[in-house]
Amino acid sequence: MIQSEERYKALQQSLNRFSNDLTDVMKVSELENRLIDEVRAVLQVTNVSIKEVPKGQEHEILNKQDIWVQIGEKQQPVYLRIAMDHVLLRIEEEWMETAVHYVTILYDNDRSRERRPFAVRQ
């Protein structure tokens, strides 16, 4: 029970740190790199990447051994791919859903800035 409580606290601290860090992110590449770093550190996995998957080819490319979570869209859907060698705890799944939700919001904001003709981008 104590170990579970400690894990929960560590995941909450990670989300707080991650959300604070995202306020300084200005580019999609920085956002993606920050997500990869956090997933590696928190879930203790080494094989994490961001992949654009052509529409209509998801079933051919997305394999069942890895976790694939759509995080946004560029020209094609963009996925976070995590090669797992262990099963995630429920609290880790919830952590990942929340972290991905933060990233998805920023992806959507970035795309809406691209559509506005007079937006200033840094």
Side-chain angles (χ1 to χ4, degrees), residues 56-69:
Q57 295 184 13
E58 293 90 351
H59 295 294
E60 299 167 21
I61 295 174
L62 308 183
N63 63 47
K64 303 226 188 266
Q65 293 83 18
D66 298 339
I67 295 174
W68 293 83
V69 182

Side-chain angles (χ1 to χ4, degrees), residues 11 21-23 25 36 46 58 67 85 88-89 107 116:
L11 293 171
D21 289 353
L22 293 182
T23 61
V25 170
I36 288 171
T46 56
E58 293 90 351
I67 295 174
D85 58 0
L88 292 179
L89 301 172
Y107 251 98
R116 283 187 249 143

Side-chain angles (χ1 to χ4, degrees), residues 52-102:
E52 276 191 69
V53 178
K55 290 180 183 173
Q57 295 184 13
E58 293 90 351
H59 295 294
E60 299 167 21
I61 295 174
L62 308 183
N63 63 47
K64 303 226 188 266
Q65 293 83 18
D66 298 339
I67 295 174
W68 293 83
V69 182
Q70 187 171 354
I71 60 172
E73 282 203 27
K74 293 179 182 175
Q75 283 82 12
Q76 305 292 337
V78 179
Y79 288 86
L80 170 69
R81 185 197 60 79
I82 308 169
M84 297 297 300
D85 58 0
H86 62 280
V87 177
L88 292 179
L89 301 172
R90 179 70 194 138
I91 58 175
E92 292 172 329
E93 290 175 3
E94 291 171 1
W95 171 88
M96 187 171 60
E97 289 171 6
T98 303
V100 165
H101 179 72
Y102 293 160

Side-chain angles (χ1 to χ4, degrees), residues 8-24 34 38 42 95 98-99 102:
Y8 177 81
K9 185 177 179 180
L11 293 171
Q12 287 302 311
Q13 290 172 340
S14 164
L15 283 174
N16 291 338
R17 183 180 55 248
F18 184 61
S19 64
N20 286 333
D21 289 353
L22 293 182
T23 61
D24 296 329
R34 186 64 191 88
E38 197 68 18
V42 171
W95 171 88
T98 303
Y102 293 160

